Structures are given as C-alpha cells and as structure tokens.
Amino acid sequence: MLPAALYLALFIAYPFGMSIYLSLSDAQAGNQKWSYIGTANYSKVQSYDLLANDFVLGRFPSEAAARAFVSERPLLKVTTFPAPGGGHRATLTAPGRSIALLDMEKEEDATFAASTILQDTSWTVRQAGGKAEVVAHEKESAVTLGTFTTRKAVDLAATKLLVPAATRVDIHGTGVLQDPNFLLALKNTFKYTFGTEILKLLIGVPCALLLNRKFGGRRLLRGLVVIPWVIPIAISAQAWLWILDSTYSVINWCLVHWGVLTPQHIINFRGDKDLAMLSVIAVNVWRGFPFTTIIILAGLTAIPDEILERARLEGASAFQRFVHIISPMVRPILMVSLLFSVIFSFTDFNTIWIITKGGPFDQTQVLATYAYQLGVNAGYLGKGAATSLFMFPIMAVMVFFMLQFLRREA
Amino acid sequence: MSSRGSLFWRRIRPSLLSYAGLAPFLAFALFPFYWMLITSLKADPNLYDLKRNPFWFSSVDGNTHQPYHKDIIVPASFSEGVIQWKVAQGAATTRSDSVQNPEPIAFIGAQKIESPVDGRLAAIRVPSGKIAHPNEVIGFIEVASPSLTHYRYLISTPFYRWLRVSLVTGLVVMLITLLLAVPAAYALARLDFRGNRMLGIVIFLTYLIPPTILFIPFSQFVGALKIDNTIWSLILTYPTFTVPFCTWLLMGFFRSVPKEIEERALLDGATRMQILRLVVIPVVLPGIITAAIFAFTLSFQEYVYGLTFISSTINRTLPVGITVDMVRGDVYFWGPLMAAAVLGSIPVVIVYALSLDYFISGMTTGAVK
C-alpha cells in the first residue's frame, strides 16, 4: 500500500502542485530564475481600448430634414472648448447648429476623435421609432476613442460620449484570458467534446443493441469492433491522415468517381476550417465509440432475460421494451461511460495533434494542444501550465457528478 | 451435401439480420486498418495513381496503360563511359535507399548505378560494353504491386529501434505497475483502516488527472533529474496513469474473493503476505493478467510524454517516432508510413487477440466498478 501511495504522492501530487506553481511564475524554458508573478499568466490587462461606431448625430422629425442635415456636412466644423465637468468638449458646429460629441481630458484627443467622426465615416439616414436618424458609420473598424489602464477609467470615458453610439471595450493584455487564441481553444474544446460525445452515443448505442442479439460469431464481431480502441491512436491516426489527404483522399476519389465532384474541386479536409474540426471529431468518434459500445453492452447483458421475456409475452413491442425496460436499466452504466468519455475527449491531445496540429490557423486548437504549443514549443512554461490547468475545473465538475453517482449506486 | 448446406443455412439465417445491421459499424471500425494494410503493400506508382481503383492493387498505369515501370537514368554528374551491367535482364533489383549499402545494378567505369526502385529489370537499353551518357535512360525496371518494398525500406529507418523502446518500456512499466498496484489494491480491499474508502477514491481520481495537465511540470521534473531524452523518463512517469487504473481495477477483483478463505488461513497461522501469495493471488490471477495487459497497452499507446520528454530520433517510442520522424519536412512517405503502422499495431493486436475476454472485462470493470 505504502509504496503505491508514496509513488502517487510524489508523481501526481507533486507535479500537480508544480503545475500550479509554474502557472503563477514567469517560468520560461532556458531561463533558470523564475519568480512569482501572481495570476499574471491567467489574466493581466495592459490596456482597455474604448471603441465606438454608429454615432447617432441627430434625430429629425422627417427624412427630408435628416437628408438636409447630411447635405450640410461640408459646412460642419469641429470646435472644442472647456467642458462643464472639466476636460474639453468637442462639438460639430455650423451656422445655427451645434452638436456636442464628446468630452475628453486633452484638447487634441477630443479634436482628433471628433474630426475622425466628421471626416472618415459614412453618414446614412435610417428610420427609428417614427423619426429619422443620421448615423455616422466607420466601415473598416470602429473609431478608437482612447486607451486606458483601468476598467474604471474606460467606463468613465464611455459615459462622456455625448451622442448615442455602439461602444465596445477591447482588452489587451498578456494573460491567457486576454489571448484570443486561448479563448478560441476553449471554445473549440467544448465544441470538440460535445460533438464527439453525441456522435459516440448515436453510433455506440445501436451498435451495442445489435451486438446484444444472439447470433453466431458474436464474440468475434465484438472483438473486431473494439480494435480501434486498442491500437495506439498515434498509429491508427496515420491511416486517417492518408484517408483525409488533400490530393489522394479515398473519399475524394469516390466522390469524383461517382461524379459528385470534379477532380479540380476536391475537398481539402484538413485545410478547411469547418471540415478540419469535423475531421478530428470523426477520428475521435471512430476511436472512442467502441468504448461506449462495450460499456453499454455490459449493461445490456446484465438485464435478466426473464424480464424481457415476460414483457414480450405481455405484448410489449420492441420499441416499448427499449423505452420502458432497457433504457432505464442501462442508464446508470451509460452515465458512467459518458462521464469517462467526456473526460477523455475534453483532455484529448493525441488525435488533434496528429491530424491537424491545431490548424488550420488555430481553428482546431484545443486546450491541451494550445498548452503544448505555449509550454513546449514556445517555451512559455507558466502560460502553458495556466492553459492546461483550465481543464481542471471542468474535470472537477465531471468527477463530482461521477462520485455523487457512484455513491448513490453503492 | 445439400442437407449439410441447408443445415448451415438454417443455423446462419437467424443471425443474418444481426450481421446486416452490424456491417456498417464494422466497416467504419475496420476500414482504416484495411486502408493501412493495402496502402502499405502498394508500390509507389500504384499508390499515387488516381486513375486506378484505390481499393485494390493494379500493376498497369491508369494513364499510359503500360505496366508500372521506372526508368534507370544515368545521373547528370556522371561522365560518359562503357557500361557494365551487374544484374541480368529479368533479375530482381533493390532500391538504393532500402538497405544499407545495396548492391549496384551497373557500373560506368568506377561509377555505380543504383536501382531507383524495387522491381524486376525489365529492359536494358544500353547493353554491356556500349557507351552510356549522362542523363541517358539506359533501361527500365518493372514495378510489381502488391510488393513488400515499403516493409523492406523500414530496415533503413530507426523503426525497429522505436519498437524495441516501446516494448521494453511497456514491459518494465507493467512490472512496476504490478509491484505497486497489487499490494495497494489488496490493502484497500481488505485491510480495515480509517480513510480506507476515501483513499480508494483518491487513487481513482488520480487516474482521471490527464497527462495533458501534467506534462509541463513533468518535463521540468525529468529535466532536473537529468533523465530527459532517456527511456527512464518514460519508465518513471508512465506508472502515473497505469498504477491508479490498475489499482482500481484490481480492487474490484480482490473484493470478489470471499473473506472466509482468508480468515481460515489466518487462523491456520499464515501471515498476511503468505495469504496474499498463496491464497489470494491464485484466485485473482485473471484480474492480475487483466491489469498487466492494461499496463502494457496503456504504456504502448502513450503519446504526450513520449513526445515531450524524448528529443532525439533514436530514443523515441514507436507512436512518436512514426508521427514525428517518418515525415520529412512536409513530405509524407505514405507507403513506409503505413507499413510502419501495420507492423506497429501487431504487438498490441497479438496481446489483444490472446486476451480478448480479459481485455473487455477490464474495460468494463475499470469504468464501472
């Protein structure tokens, strides 16, 4: 008992603790001195950019009045003067008209933002609530109204915009939470997990029901179905790479052969962003569905034949037997297999790394592959550890449910 | 004859519906393996011939309708000279890169002409004793498909070394796992001490902590111990997932042994260790075999640690070696790659075929009990 406990304490608890420590330090490969930097790897904001677009410059009772205002645009000028609450206010002025746009600390900033709105936007008239609005729209991106170091400052600045507009705050920083690729990986992890789990059930349940029938050679066929689960994925995925090859894919060959595609328009499975995700999901489903099948089959064989036989004699159809007897009796075991399977998929690295390496353009990056990318390939050990630790809370929730479940069963 | 036939038919008929229903599932599960095998046996020109049905072999080019062949060309760097054939027309040839120092098929003075492919020397354009010029096609080799050429090529790669690393790691990890997990599982299943059940759950939970969380700290850990890039880094870390799994698996088996047998032995004056060795282990032997199989296959399948800790080509495990070193730059050598995949699957398939029932019981108990 003791050796095993000691080994596990040393080799799981210690690295796990070290992982947490790494994620709180500025550790980098090749850098001997690490220092504690708090949660900066997780989240460290450097600046908040306040962006705004679609400024409503004026509301007019009729469309004609609004159009008249748009035609006055060449006459408008930007003028700034001290604002009532401090700072400077930029207004668009023309003879007989003055529109207060925004307040800012510095005069030149206020002038610059107002000039951008005046000169670089396209003005359109739209109907809103029985009135006509003149909207200034920046096509390329939004107008940057300022860069701030605290959330409070950016929120305050947003209130100083004096015309209605669509505002948004872009957060820039060095923590993983400010990293758009990390957020993409997080989203992809969920997509990948749910996609594979649903498909595994859709394939695994009917396969288990069929294998549960009585027929000759059942043991052999059951053995054959499990083979994808047995062969190391790194090896069997090579066959999938070849099946999904950009030029010689057998799927493309068949589609061309049947006249669905022309040889010039074959599908690039791993190069297209949606198809790449589907491809890795397909490979994971292929590898994982035997596990689901075998677990459900174990649940099915545990159902006593007499119960099903009696139901049959009392006139229950196959569908009724499935809904009222089989599925409630298999549900517990199904839940456990599902939880296991979710954990496997959620933390999966191999399938994605081999099939797409997270590409094209990070579109199939998941937490595990991104952690590898950051921690091993790029050498940012701290950020890599922080990324991989993000898997832990979700795992913990899964395990909590699993334990609740095991306790109820026991 | 006909009565035997109809007997066979009567026996098989009720199963037909099941077979028909299972066919698509089996096709999905097994197609990649069929594809791996057939690809590994196709000679290169056949492999990359889009005009031919890819599901089977062909020995005739889909574009030219000639048998697949490869020209023997005098390299441009050679100077012209009298050619001396080493092999006769119709003889088998071995391509230059498939084994160390292959025999040349011809000489121009002291310059060696090597065979570009495995095949049969079908024609000689420039007979022995005649002058051969740079860039001249002096003959061609007919390429047969199916052929074992890709399997022969593996000898010139570190494939067998990777296989050995994987097998040795798998076996050593299996031993370490059993040494740690059997006593631990026994203690958790039998001995009454406080926190017994809790400890069992903790061990199970450690199985659920994935390698993808641990590989970064481990890479520092093995680096600090100066065992990175050696097989020891794997032997030391693989038990982190085999020990928890096998302990959990074995606990179920130990619990199924009736306590009375042990109590009788205890009354007869046997020690705990003696009971374990003489009474319990023989009874739970199937469980131990299952645990051993899983320890081996889990190690053999491992990928992340092998990829992270081992940096030199020759020390890699098989799955990592195949994925990393059989691809040069962006070029995949599909034939040898598939041949390596087929050969690499064989050890696991053998273990699996010999222990199908143990394996499946392990899958279900591991997940369910």
Side-chain angles (χ1 to χ4, degrees), chain A residues 7 213 216 223 230 253 395, chain B residues 18-19 50 205 208 236 301 352:
Chain A
Y7 173 84
R213 295 165 63 105
V230 181
W253 187 89
M395 297 261 315
Chain B
S18 304
Y19 294 147
L50 284 169
L205 290 187
L208 294 177
L236 216 55
Q301 291 181 344
Y352 174 64

Side-chain angles (χ1 to χ4, degrees), chain A residues 6-318:
Chain A
L6 273 180
Y7 173 84
L8 290 178
L10 182 62
F11 280 84
I12 298 214
Y14 173 69
F16 192 66
M18 187 164 164
S19 186
I20 294 174
Y21 168 71
L22 280 174
S23 77
L24 298 173
S25 77
D26 61 352
Q28 277 194 29
N31 178 358
Q32 290 305 310
K33 260 178 70 185
W34 301 342
S35 50
Y36 178 80
I37 53 165
T39 57
N41 282 322
Y42 291 95
S43 174
K44 184 178 187 202
V45 178
Q46 285 173 325
S47 66
Y48 299 90
D49 285 359
L50 177 63
L51 294 108
N53 207 346
D54 297 331
F55 304 89
V56 180
L57 297 176
R59 284 209 171 84
F60 299 91
S62 71
E63 196 172 328
R67 298 240 173 260
F69 172 71
V70 173
S71 64
E72 273 179 39
R73 185 172 173 180
L75 301 175
L76 287 166
K77 275 198 308 241
V78 175
T79 43
T80 42
F81 53 86
H88 298 269
R89 174 164 296 177
T91 47
L92 295 181
T93 51
R97 195 186 288 284
S98 167
I99 303 160
L101 274 185
L102 39 83
D103 286 354
M104 276 190 188
E105 283 296 306
K106 287 188 193 156
E107 189 177 354
E108 62 263 36
D109 289 349
T111 314
F112 181 77
S115 309
T116 310
I117 297 169
L118 177 62
Q119 286 152 17
D120 300 345
T121 54
S122 64
W123 293 14
T124 50
V125 176
R126 75 173 178 212
Q127 294 293 332
K131 299 218 168 183
E133 288 179 346
V134 173
V135 179
H137 176 74
E138 159 77 87
K139 263 177 295 182
E140 302 289 310
S141 58
V143 179
T144 306
L145 294 179
T147 298
F148 305 88
T149 48
T150 62
R151 184 88 218 183
K152 223 173 170 177
V154 76
D155 287 343
L156 185 67
T159 63
K160 294 196 171 171
L161 187 61
L162 303 171
V163 290
T167 56
R168 121 176 156 241
V169 176
D170 272 7
I171 301 170
H172 298 283
T174 52
V176 289
L177 277 178
Q178 282 82 43
D179 178 355
N181 279 344
F182 169 81
L183 298 174
L184 183 65
L186 189 65
K187 205 176 80 190
N188 282 341
T189 311
F190 280 97
K191 236 200 243 175
Y192 180 68
T193 307
F194 286 104
T196 52
E197 291 322 309
I198 288 167
L199 287 173
K200 275 183 202 170
L201 282 181
L202 285 180
I203 297 176
V205 171
C207 187
L209 287 171
L210 281 165
L211 279 173
N212 195 39
R213 295 165 63 105
K214 289 183 178 56
F215 57 87
R218 196 168 97 167
R219 196 167 159 269
L220 174 74
L221 294 192
R222 187 188 59 173
L224 288 176
V225 164
V226 186
I227 285 187
W229 178 255
V230 181
I231 307 290
I233 177 70
I235 291 179
S236 53
Q238 300 303 314
W240 279 101
L241 271 180
W242 179 226
I243 290 172
L244 301 171
D245 188 79
S246 55
T247 315
Y248 298 101
S249 164
V250 60
I251 303 170
N252 278 330
W253 187 89
C254 290
L255 293 176
V256 170
H257 188 71
W258 296 326
V260 181
L261 292 176
T262 58
Q264 288 76 38
H265 297 94
I266 53 171
I267 305 166
N268 186 357
F269 292 97
R270 294 186 297 131
D272 178 279
K273 78 179 174 78
D274 296 321
L275 288 175
M277 186 43 106
L278 273 181
S279 301
V280 287
I281 287 177
V283 176
N284 192 16
V285 167
W286 170 80
R287 157 129 169 115
F289 93 88
F291 179 77
T292 314
T293 301
I294 290 302
I295 305 285
I296 295 170
L297 190 59
L300 287 174
T301 33
I303 299 175
D305 280 345
E306 300 86 66
I307 298 183
L308 290 172
E309 199 49 45
R310 186 171 313 154
R312 197 204 309 267
L313 290 176
E314 283 170 11
S317 70

